[in-house]
């Protein structure tokens, strides 16, 4: 009996290792932790971030990403890299436009469900393994931004990664502006950078109220 249990444990361990090895570290044809020079000429179209040790690169007509696999539901693609030029985030996004409060329908939330389904399959996970988190940030002009984030965290070898499908909302001139972001992110990068300026908040179900648009 003891030998049988040991045998079953080894099978389970082997299965877990095999599943871990199958996990992708690629999104939109770009592998996280790769040298960014595999995908773009780093001497052109370079955008510095607030933290000087990190750099943002955009896919443009003049300087497109090599091997980029676009999704028809997204318009813009960007990479963030560290000072060693290693890719730490791969993101595709789409601005869903401005909508008045009386006509507001949360398109971003609907599109998030679509991406959860296809990415869960790509990363050999269940849709139910995504966790939902809510954040808030205010810029230097006092404008509030709300973020609804579906997050799927996993490990690949010794690396901690996160698939993030995120909706952002803000009020500009009494119109809601929303954007969807689909990313593969190094978890340490996320914690040490983004979460330094964002505040985790409770669930918000009424975006109009949160953005002071409900009574307009």
């Amino acid at each position: 009996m003891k030998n049988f249990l040991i045998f079953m444990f080894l099978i389970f361990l082997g299965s877990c290792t095999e599943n871990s090895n199958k996990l992708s570290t690629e999104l939109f044809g770009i592998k996280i932790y790769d040298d960014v020079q595999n995908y773009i000429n780093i001497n052109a179209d370079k955008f510095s971030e607030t933290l000087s040790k990190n750099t943002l690169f955009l896919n443009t007509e003049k300087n497109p990403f090599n091997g980029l696999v676009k999704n028809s539901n997204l318009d813009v693609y960007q990479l963030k890299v560290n000072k060693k030029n290693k890719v730490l985030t791969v993101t595709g996004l789409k601005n869903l436009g401005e909508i008045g409060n009386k006509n507001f329908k949360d398109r971003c939330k609907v599109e998030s469900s679509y991406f959860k389904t296809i990415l869960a399959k790509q990363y050999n996970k269940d849709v139910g393994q995504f966790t939902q988190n809510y954040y808030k940030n205010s810029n230097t002009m006092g404008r509030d931004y709300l973020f609804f984030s579906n997050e799927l965290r996993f490990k690949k070898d010794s690396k901690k990664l996160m698939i993030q499908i995120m909706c952002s909302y803000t009020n500009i001139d009494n119109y809601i502006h929303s954007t969807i972001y689909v990313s593969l992110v190094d978890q340490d990068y996320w914690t040490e950078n983004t979460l330094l300026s964002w505040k985790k908040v409770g669930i918000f179900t009424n975006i109009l109220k949160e953005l002071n648009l409900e009574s307009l």
Side-chain angles (χ1 to χ4, degrees):
M1 182 66 179
K2 182 178 180 181
N3 289 337
F4 175 76
L5 292 175
I6 292 174
F7 176 71
M8 292 302 294
F9 173 75
L10 291 175
I11 291 177
F12 173 76
L13 182 62
S15 175
C16 290
T17 303
E18 183 180 358
N19 288 337
S20 175
N21 290 335
K22 287 181 179 178
L23 291 173
S24 176
T25 56
E26 179 179 302
L27 184 64
F28 307 127
I30 295 174
K31 290 184 178 180
I32 200 166
Y33 306 124
D34 264 8
D35 191 315
V36 73
Q37 295 179 91
N38 292 336
Y39 303 104
I40 194 169
N41 177 5
I42 65 172
N43 297 314
D45 293 346
K46 183 175 176 180
F47 301 85
S48 296
E49 287 202 273
T50 304
L51 299 176
S52 59
K53 63 181 180 179
N54 300 315
T55 307
L56 172 68
F57 291 93
L58 294 176
N59 178 67
T60 64
E61 290 187 10
K62 179 181 178 182
N63 201 23
F65 295 160
N66 299 323
L68 179 66
V69 179
K70 294 183 178 181
N71 181 286
S72 59
N73 289 12
L74 302 171
D75 294 334
V76 179
Y77 297 86
Q78 62 186 38
L79 305 176
K80 293 180 183 177
V81 307
N82 61 14
K83 59 184 178 181
K84 295 182 179 179
N85 288 330
K86 300 301 181 184
V87 176
L88 295 183
T89 75
V90 181
T91 300
L93 62 99
K94 182 178 183 178
N95 189 317
L96 300 176
E98 59 179 35
I99 306 172
N101 64 322
K102 298 185 185 303
N103 299 312
F104 177 67
K105 292 182 180 179
D106 197 349
R107 285 178 53 201
C108 191
K109 194 168 185 178
V110 173
E111 296 204 21
S112 292
S113 297
Y114 156 75
F115 280 108
K116 282 172 65 175
T117 300
I118 63 171
L119 290 178
K121 183 177 181 180
Q122 178 179 336
Y123 288 85
N124 196 29
K125 299 289 185 179
D126 294 325
V127 172
Q129 291 179 269
F130 279 91
T131 60
Q132 295 181 347
N133 289 292
Y134 298 79
Y135 306 95
K136 185 175 182 179
N137 182 44
S138 298
N139 65 14
T140 55
M141 300 174 62
R143 177 172 293 138
D144 291 332
Y145 289 84
L146 302 176
F147 301 93
F148 167 54
S149 179
N150 286 283
E151 300 168 2
L152 193 161
R153 298 167 187 264
F154 62 94
K155 288 185 178 180
K156 172 69 173 179
D157 300 324
S158 60
K159 302 295 187 181
K160 295 185 296 183
L161 298 167
M162 178 172 69
I163 290 294
Q164 184 178 56
I165 304 165
M166 183 173 66
C167 297
S168 74
Y169 311 89
T170 192
N171 175 356
I172 300 178
D173 297 328
N174 295 326
Y175 283 85
I176 294 179
H177 290 247
S178 62
T179 304
I180 186 168
Y181 301 82
V182 181
S183 304
L184 176 62
V185 184
D186 175 82
Q187 286 189 45
D188 290 335
Y189 172 87
W190 166 256
T191 301
E192 295 168 7
N193 291 271
T194 306
L195 287 185
L196 288 180
S197 57
W198 290 14
K199 178 183 178 182
K200 194 170 182 178
V201 296
I203 297 174
F204 48 79
T205 56
N206 189 333
I207 295 170
L208 295 176
K209 181 178 180 180
E210 295 289 340
L211 294 176
N212 300 314
L213 286 164
E214 189 176 40
S215 61
L216 296 178

